[in-house]
Amino acid sequence: MAFLEVKGLKKSYKDFTALNGISFSVEKGEVAAVIGSSGAGKTTLLRCLDFLENADGGEIILDGKTLTEGGPLSEREAREKRLGFGLVFQSFNLFPHFTVKKNVVYSAIKRAKEDIAVSGKGIKALKEKRKKLAEKKAEINAEADALLGKFGLSEKADAYPASLSGGQQQRAAIARAMILRPKILLFDEPTSALDPALTGEIVNVIKDLKSDGATMLIVTHDMAFAEKVSDKIIFVSDGKVVEEGRTEEIFSAPKTEELKNFINSF
Amino acid sequence: MNFWDILWNMRNGLFTTVSIFFLTLIISLPLGLLVCFGRMSRIKPVAAFFGFFISVMRGTPLMLQLFVVYFLPFYAFGIKLKFMGENWLFISVVIGFSVNYSAYFAEIYRSGINSVPEGQREAAKALGLTRGRTFFAIILPQVLRNILPAVTNEIITLVKDTSLAFAIGQAEMFTAAKRLASKEVSMLPYAAAALIYYAFNLAVAYVMSRIEKRTRRYAVR
Ligand SMILES: Nc1ncnc2c1ncn2[C@@H]1O[C@H](COP(=O)(O)OP(=O)(O)OP(=O)(O)O)[C@@H](O)[C@H]1O
Ligand SMILES: [Mg+2]
């Protein structure tokens, strides 16, 4: 079974069908690009994978676990399940009142606090808990420093997002998503909010992540970008997968008329 | 009677004014947040109730509301006002101001909450933050930054509005000025009162601008 399996995912808004039974799979360590014209349902797909929306039907299986079991999820269940996914938003959505470093560490520290359960009562247990948390915090901070270093943001750790360039903000957003060690990174249009000159930068970032073994699902309608970074292409149209295959094959020999037209329109 | 004598004579009134001001702020700022939650509730009747409450508070004179609060124990519960204790006048004034200002602050909070992009809430959600933490750690600080100018305006209005307590018989600074003016047959006490209100507001403006400056470093470009 593939690392990520999506089977017949459906999502409708009122009477509009955004996802009409999407199925595809991504292997571990693979970079998959979801391409398709505007309104095809690409963002909706990512939002359903990350449980920001509850899909109306279908299955999401990540690393052998079926996440969609048992109908619509409660807020609490969704909170647990979405942690397998690290979503990097199209407009990054960094928290403007946190420094870059705090943006990165915040969720992990809060998570550590929740995880360190109160074992027993009294001063001793409390001290134990404090110690554990301090250790965990130091770990998280070290990990954040490593991530920021990797993305060339060490100097910006104490800066606020507003003072960062678009590319820097994006890398901070990637670091923020990675601190929780998601199994798969999801990117929504990573080139769209950037200067065209900066797309080379994000290509390198993604290639770096890939060589570290990260699995990624990247939504884009930048064909040149998809060709550069992806191992496989998932072509979506009207909420359905029309064609799926290795990147070289898809670009050199598209099978469907629809994909041919789409590629030729660039 | 020189200017300093006048100020000295008005000290009790000034103290009452300052008390009304701070108590109202301390109560109405958090109360406004609760009213705002009610107004933004997903439960329709709750939202409608608080919407109505806000519109009444903003649509009727504050002075009238002060009277309503003051006489409420009698008309609503038949309690004679003399049984409400000697501080009831002051307490009712503070309640009246706080409830009224909570409505204004609720609307300011609401516009502030709506001004924070939906993406902030979603990013917090995607990072597995709880809803409570999302609100208090991510949304609220941005709301507070966005609404500072509006809150400053409201606070300055409150400084001046405290003089309305005069109408219901609460001896505050304006009452003291009026009493002194008729006793001394002079306009000087009014001038002194005006000066104090003005100085008070200068101080408010100064404090608020300091707070605004502190939040500017993370202003969204
Ligand atoms: N909250 C919503 N309510 C109603 N319709 C929605 C909602 N979100 C998305 N849609 C609709 O679903 C369809 C798919 O939207 P989606 O954002 O997934 O497209 P996309 O492929 O990401 O497009 P783009 O390339 O422009 O980002 C669109 O027609 C959109 O109007
Ligand atoms: Mg989109």
Side-chain angles (χ1 to χ4, degrees), chain A residues 126-163:
Chain A
L126 196 71
K127 265 190 187 156
E128 188 66 21
K129 203 178 133 190
R130 272 226 194 104
K131 204 176 128 215
K132 260 193 207 156
L133 187 62
E135 275 166 17
K136 191 78 197 158
K137 264 190 191 168
E139 242 170 66
I140 292 166
N141 275 314
E143 191 163 345
D145 288 338
L147 280 170
L148 291 178
K150 176 191 183 71
F151 292 130
L153 290 170
S154 294
E155 264 111 80
K156 295 290 182 184
D158 297 322
Y160 286 89
S163 68

Side-chain angles (χ1 to χ4, degrees), chain B residues 145-160:
Chain B
R145 182 199 59 205
N146 291 347
I147 64 175
L148 271 177
V151 168
T152 304
N153 277 339
E154 215 51 58
I155 295 178
I156 286 173
T157 307
L158 173 62
V159 171
K160 295 179 287 181

Side-chain angles (χ1 to χ4, degrees), chain B residues 16 20 87 89-91 93 165-173 175:
Chain B
T16 305
I20 295 172
N87 288 327
L89 180 60
F90 179 75
I91 293 170
V93 164
F166 160 77
I168 173 172
Q170 171 65 55
E172 41 65 74
M173 189 171 63
T175 319

Side-chain angles (χ1 to χ4, degrees), chain A residues 47 50 52 75 79 82-83 89 93-98 106-107 110 114 160 162-164 176-177 180, chain B residues 118-131 133 137-139 141-142 145 217-221:
Chain A
R47 294 174 57 81
D50 206 23
L52 291 174
E75 179 57 34
R79 215 156 70 76
R82 70 166 59 98
L83 289 173
F89 291 87
N93 300 346
L94 291 169
F95 304 132
H97 58 305
F98 286 178
Y106 189 76
S107 65
K110 293 306 165 195
E114 284 168 34
Y160 286 89
S163 68
L164 266 55
R176 182 176 70 170
L180 293 169
Chain B
E118 189 53 29
Q120 290 291 308
R121 200 169 274 117
E122 298 209 317
K125 202 173 172 186
L127 290 166
L129 302 182
T130 58
R131 277 174 60 174
R133 187 159 281 140
I138 306 297
I139 307 299
Q142 299 185 53
R145 182 199 59 205
R217 66 200 163 144
Y218 57 73
V220 186
R221 258 192 306 203

Side-chain angles (χ1 to χ4, degrees), chain A residues 13 16 18 36-45 53 90 188-189 221:
Chain A
Y13 297 106
F16 182 81
S37 51
S38 186
K42 306 183 297 292
T43 299
T44 308
L45 169 65
E53 309 267 8
Q90 186 167 5
D188 193 4
E189 308 271 3
H221 47 216

Side-chain angles (χ1 to χ4, degrees), chain B residues 35-105:
Chain B
V35 174
C36 169
F37 288 157
R39 175 76 182 86
M40 295 179 83
S41 170
R42 263 173 293 184
I43 306 161
K44 285 266 162 63
V46 174
F49 171 81
F50 282 97
F52 178 68
F53 166 79
I54 290 169
S55 81
V56 170
M57 285 298 124
R58 303 208 303 173
T60 59
L62 173 54
M63 199 194 291
L64 203 72
Q65 293 165 22
L66 294 178
F67 279 101
V68 169
V69 175
Y70 180 69
F71 289 111
L72 198 66
F74 181 68
Y75 287 109
F77 310 108
I79 304 168
K80 292 235 170 67
L81 289 179
K82 64 180 177 194
F83 296 128
M84 290 301 295
E86 56 181 325
N87 288 327
W88 173 242
L89 180 60
F90 179 75
I91 293 170
S92 72
V93 164
V94 171
I95 293 175
F97 271 106
S98 298
V99 170
N100 176 274
Y101 270 78
S102 75
Y104 285 93
F105 285 132

